[in-house]
Amino acid sequence: MTAIDRLGRSVAEVTRTIAELGQRRILLRALREGIDTATPTGRAVAAIMATLAELALELGRERRAAARALRRSRQLPVTKPPKLSAERQDHLRQLAATGEPVKELAAAFGIGRATAYRYFAPAPE
């Protein structure tokens, strides 16, 4: 096995898996951590490594939740800003209304064809 944390999503699950495998006389060797569950020390280190992996997972969740809350509190846009200003969008629409090919317009404005079509669609309210 490569790493202990691949055995489960929580410390309890990893510990339970190691215990179940031990009852069936299956010993694990984690290559990345250099842990061997054949010894009591190896099992203890495996539990510690699983605890650290779960801690890292929970800290990552907390950081992502805090970043989302900060974005909401600052009222920052969740999406990317538009590629074209409102004036350039209007100009694009006017040229498209005259029958200019969308592919050529997109190239002239430095945007993709799909982006050009998004500007032609009515704005959601």
Side-chain angles (χ1 to χ4, degrees):
M1 167 180 52
T2 306
I4 290 291
D5 62 349
R6 308 307 328 154
L7 290 174
R9 293 178 169 253
S10 67
V11 175
E13 192 175 349
V14 170
T15 307
R16 186 174 38 250
T17 302
I18 290 172
E20 288 172 2
L21 292 172
Q23 288 173 353
R24 293 172 26 198
R25 299 190 189 273
I26 298 172
L27 303 175
L28 300 174
R29 288 198 179 119
L31 301 175
R32 184 171 68 188
E33 292 96 2
I35 299 170
D36 185 356
T37 61
T39 65
T41 305
R43 288 189 294 276
V45 171
I48 291 169
M49 296 302 289
T51 302
L52 293 175
E54 185 176 1
L55 175 64
L57 184 65
E58 289 177 12
L59 290 175
R61 285 183 191 138
E62 288 176 6
R63 280 193 303 270
R64 288 187 298 275
R68 281 191 301 272
L70 183 63
R71 279 195 308 271
R72 286 185 191 119
S73 70
R74 290 182 180 175
Q75 296 180 342
L76 296 176
V78 177
T79 60
K80 294 179 184 178
K83 297 244 182 210
L84 300 178
S85 66
E87 297 155 355
R88 290 192 40 97
Q89 289 177 33
D90 289 338
H91 190 232
L92 175 70
R93 286 187 201 99
Q94 289 171 357
L95 289 173
T98 65
E100 291 289 329
V102 176
K103 184 176 180 180
E104 292 177 16
L105 287 173
F109 280 80
I111 58 174
R113 222 172 35 109
T115 303
Y117 279 111
R118 273 195 296 275
Y119 289 133
F120 301 150
E125 296 178 24

